[in-house]
Amino acid sequence: MPLLPALRRRVGSTWHLLLKELSAFGAVGAACFVLDVGLFQLLYTSGSGAVTAKLVATVVSTTAAYLGHRFWSFAHRERSGYRREYVVFVLVNGLTLLIGLALVAFVRHPLGQEHALVLQAANVASIGLGTVIRWFAYRRWVFRAVAEPPAAGSPSTASPSAVSPASPRPADPRAAVPAVGAAAVGRRVGGAEPARSGA
């Protein structure tokens, strides 16, 4: 059946694309993590304050992550405008940051855990949870899928003449009467008989 090979090709193409997205997503995330840590260390040891160094490192690494995902991880997806994408990208990252802080704070205060290993485990768990949330949020809201074109022959693609053909206009009966004949008909209607040549 021709349907099975087409279905196999579609599934294979989908898995190949998903694998490409996942591998690029991981590579960009790892590179931006190194950039964040390295830039923070460089700025802090150069005399910048810890908060300033962290702010600059976060902004630079977040922007680099957006560019990496836009032009590599999800380059094949719809481009809905850099400004909109970047704003939503920052909002998603801010949300995952708040979730990570809330998780660590919950383990530290309500649960009363002070051991560094436990808190580090909570930190790693928050990173993993944030990564999963970012992956789905990027695909759903930041880098949206390209809309599939409507199938050929559907009402949205059919021409207006094909969907609703124009009705032909009724022919004007007077147009079929020659000019001379029309004058003769007019005289007959008025009661005047055309003169005949003598017998």
Side-chain angles (χ1 to χ4, degrees):
M1 295 176 63
L3 181 60
L4 289 179
L7 184 60
R8 262 193 223 103
R9 284 195 301 270
R10 184 175 181 83
V11 171
S13 174
T14 301
W15 277 105
H16 178 75
L17 193 59
L18 186 62
L19 183 61
K20 180 256 181 188
E21 287 183 351
L22 278 171
S23 57
F25 178 81
V28 170
C32 290
F33 173 77
V34 172
L35 176 62
D36 190 342
V37 173
L39 187 57
F40 172 81
Q41 186 70 19
L42 175 64
L43 292 173
Y44 184 67
T45 55
S46 299
S48 299
V51 176
T52 303
K54 180 56 181 173
L55 177 62
V56 173
T58 300
V59 171
V60 172
S61 62
T62 300
T63 303
Y66 167 74
L67 295 174
H69 291 314
R70 172 68 281 175
F71 295 104
W72 186 22
S73 308
F74 306 103
H76 56 283
R77 288 180 163 258
E78 178 182 334
R79 303 199 175 194
S80 56
Y82 296 133
R83 181 182 300 175
R84 188 206 71 83
E85 289 178 353
Y86 187 73
V87 170
V88 180
F89 186 86
V90 170
L91 290 176
V92 169
N93 280 273
L95 176 63
T96 55
L97 174 62
L98 291 177
I99 292 174
L101 292 174
L103 182 58
V104 173
F106 177 76
V107 173
R108 172 63 184 87
H109 296 291
L111 299 184
Q113 299 294 327
E114 297 182 357
H115 198 280
L117 189 59
V118 176
L119 293 175
Q120 188 62 267
N123 182 41
V124 172
S126 70
I127 293 173
L129 178 61
T131 300
V132 173
I133 293 175
R134 283 194 298 272
W135 161 256
F136 285 104
Y138 290 168
R139 301 181 84 248
R140 176 65 179 84
W141 291 300
V142 183
F143 310 109
R144 297 181 295 197
V146 178
E148 294 185 1
S154 62
S156 59
T157 57
S159 62
S161 59
V163 176
S164 178
S167 301
R169 295 182 179 180
D172 189 353
R174 292 175 298 177
V177 181
V180 177
V185 170
R187 286 195 296 271
R188 286 196 185 97
V189 173
E193 191 71 23
R196 297 183 179 178
S197 57

